[in-house]
Amino acid sequence: MALAYSKNNALNAICPYFTMFPLEYPLRVLKRHVKGAPIVFDPFCGRGTTLFAARTLGLAAWGIDSSPVAVAIAKAKLATCNVEEPLQLAAELLEATEPVEVPATPFFQAAYHPDTLKDVCALREGLLSLGSETDASTILRAAVLGCLHGPLPKHMENAGYFSNQMPRTYASKPDYAVRFWKERSLKAPKIDVLRVLRRKIERLVGLERAAPSPISQVLCGDAQSTDVFHLVNAAPSVVITSPPYYGMRTYVQDQWLRNWFLGGPAAIDYSAGPQLDHGGKSAFSTSLGKVWRNIANTTASSEALHMYVRFGIIPSAAVDAKAIFKRSLEESGIAWRLVSTRPAKAADAGKRQADQMRAESAAAVEFDFHVERA
């Protein structure tokens, strides 16, 4: 049964993100295993949907992602605090911080009202200057990321975003955005930043209930590397994940504006490469196989280990998704047993990245795989 949106899931929706898969997928899987109190793991955690599902069911969870934006959002899924704490922090940062760096490019001048941009920059610099990360700062950071860009409201009292007209799930390229706004005579509204943040954060039902895992269990790193796995102080028994689409290379670039808020450059960094090797089907399978091997090596060979993987391809990549995934299992050097392979729901129903990012593209082909260590 599909899980309808409810206010109880507002924390999971704190920041729209184009690689999200539907919450009902990890919930459905975890309900099969919940009695065994598994440790849940997602090596491509994205915005943390698997981690939120684990929290909902009271299960411990770990996540890894190579994108700082993804990690910032995913950490919020494990945060616990009073709703007033992040709002108080925001007010303090705005009061105490006179921003030093306020971008003056045509994009930023057209994307934000000058007063709004000053407030956004004050929050950016204030959060970056904090000596340590707290649950309150984690929630505030994720909430700002979620409000940083999106559609213009019909009525200003309903404003949910800080920017001129933009998509919610990814940031438009600067030159395109400026042309778009000029052609339509769209002006960035003056936004009460604290009011917008309050509307978002007050909707986060359950934020005060202690999560079974701390925010430190979301790690920024490359899941192909053993280094980041040395920081995983647990032996996962249930893995639920959705690796990047084969052929999808622009995760960082399409989140460039949120990446700027986290301390990145005020322009698109085209030098940032994808986490996995997209240099061909073989290279991609080998790259993905390293992740499966690292996961298997975190647990004793005698212990049960289940992996549930939703994997697909972008429409322009004329390859067999099932063949790539099966080859990745072989490349891992671990003995896996393929339990089941099923077509996933249509990608557009799950709001996956190909549909979100390219309105003209057809829905991607996805499969749900269940494998266990043999």
Side-chain angles (χ1 to χ4, degrees):
M1 177 183 295
L3 183 71
Y5 174 81
S6 76
K7 62 182 181 180
N8 293 326
N9 299 327
L11 178 58
N12 191 47
I14 191 170
C15 180
Y17 193 72
F18 57 66
T19 57
M20 54 192 178
F21 55 33
L23 178 59
E24 62 260 32
Y25 174 58
L27 280 177
R28 184 172 66 246
V29 169
L30 288 177
K31 285 177 180 178
R32 304 175 196 167
H33 297 274
V34 68
K35 289 184 179 180
I39 295 175
V40 183
F41 182 66
D42 188 345
F44 303 101
C45 69
R47 68 166 193 151
T49 302
T50 292
L51 307 183
F52 181 78
R55 176 180 185 161
T56 300
L57 297 175
L59 300 174
W62 288 76
I64 296 173
D65 205 281
S66 63
S67 165
V69 175
V71 170
I73 300 169
K75 279 179 176 287
K77 309 304 172 67
L78 300 182
T80 303
C81 63
N82 183 290
V83 295
E84 290 298 328
E85 293 178 58
L87 292 169
Q88 180 62 34
L89 176 59
E92 292 172 357
L93 293 178
L94 289 174
E95 178 68 24
T97 308
E98 183 66 28
V100 175
E101 299 179 9
V102 179
T105 64
F107 171 84
F108 279 93
Q109 290 179 336
Y112 299 100
H113 184 280
D115 293 342
T116 306
L117 180 58
K118 182 180 177 181
D119 284 348
V120 169
C121 290
L123 290 174
R124 175 181 184 265
E125 293 181 20
L127 284 168
L128 288 172
S129 68
L130 292 179
S132 59
E133 187 175 43
T134 65
D135 286 38
S137 67
T138 295
I139 289 295
L140 176 58
R141 183 180 295 109
V144 174
L145 292 177
C147 298
L148 198 56
H149 53 79
L152 288 171
K154 292 183 179 179
H155 305 286
M156 286 309 301
E157 63 269 19
N158 296 325
Y161 305 95
F162 306 146
S163 72
N164 205 336
Q165 180 70 31
M166 287 184 69
R168 296 179 305 140
T169 55
Y170 67 98
S172 305
K173 289 182 171 58
D175 291 346
Y176 168 83
V178 172
R179 288 197 305 271
F180 179 91
W181 296 324
K182 284 184 177 180
E183 289 170 358
R184 293 160 178 79
S185 299
L186 294 173
K187 303 294 183 181
K190 183 177 180 180
I191 296 294
D192 184 334
V193 168
L194 283 178
R195 179 178 179 179
V196 171
L197 288 172
R198 177 168 289 278
R199 289 184 69 231
K200 175 173 280 290
I201 293 173
E202 284 184 342
R203 297 176 64 233
L204 305 181
V205 176
L207 184 60
E208 297 182 26
R209 292 196 294 270
S213 303
I215 58 176
S216 60
Q217 291 185 191
V218 185
L219 306 171
C220 190
D222 185 347
Q224 298 174 85
S225 170
T226 58
D227 292 342
V228 69
F229 275 84
H230 291 155
L231 302 176
V232 179
N233 187 26
S237 52
V238 175
V239 176
I240 307 174
T241 194
S242 183
Y245 280 171
Y246 174 72
M248 182 62 214
R249 307 166 185 260
T250 59
Y251 288 95
V252 174
Q253 291 80 5
D254 287 305
Q255 295 293 322
W256 74 270
L257 189 51
R258 287 172 177 152
N259 192 58
W260 162 77
F261 186 81
L262 296 178
I268 301 177
D269 181 7
Y270 287 102
S271 66
Q275 177 175 339
L276 297 175
D277 188 340
H278 291 254
K281 295 179 290 185
S282 178
F284 187 88
S285 296
T286 299
S287 186
L288 193 54
K290 294 177 183 178
V291 180
W292 309 146
R293 180 168 62 250
N294 286 338
I295 293 171
N297 288 340
T298 62
T299 63
S301 58
S302 60
E303 296 178 357
L305 176 59
H306 292 267
M307 290 204 310
Y308 296 86
V309 183
R310 178 163 286 188
F311 179 63
I313 57 172
I314 61 174
S316 60
V319 297
D320 185 340
K322 290 187 286 187
I324 289 179
F325 177 74
K326 291 176 182 178
R327 182 165 182 174
S328 74
L329 296 176
E330 296 170 359
E331 291 288 342
S332 72
I334 304 296
W336 301 99
R337 183 174 76 87
L338 183 59
V339 179
S340 64
T341 302
R342 297 185 176 89
K345 290 183 178 180
D348 52 355
K351 297 183 179 179
R352 295 286 296 172
Q353 56 262 49
D355 181 65
Q356 285 290 306
M357 297 177 61
R358 301 290 182 266
E360 71 276 10
S361 66
V365 177
E366 290 184 317
F367 296 93
D368 288 339
F369 300 94
H370 174 200
V371 300
E372 61 182 10
R373 185 164 47 195

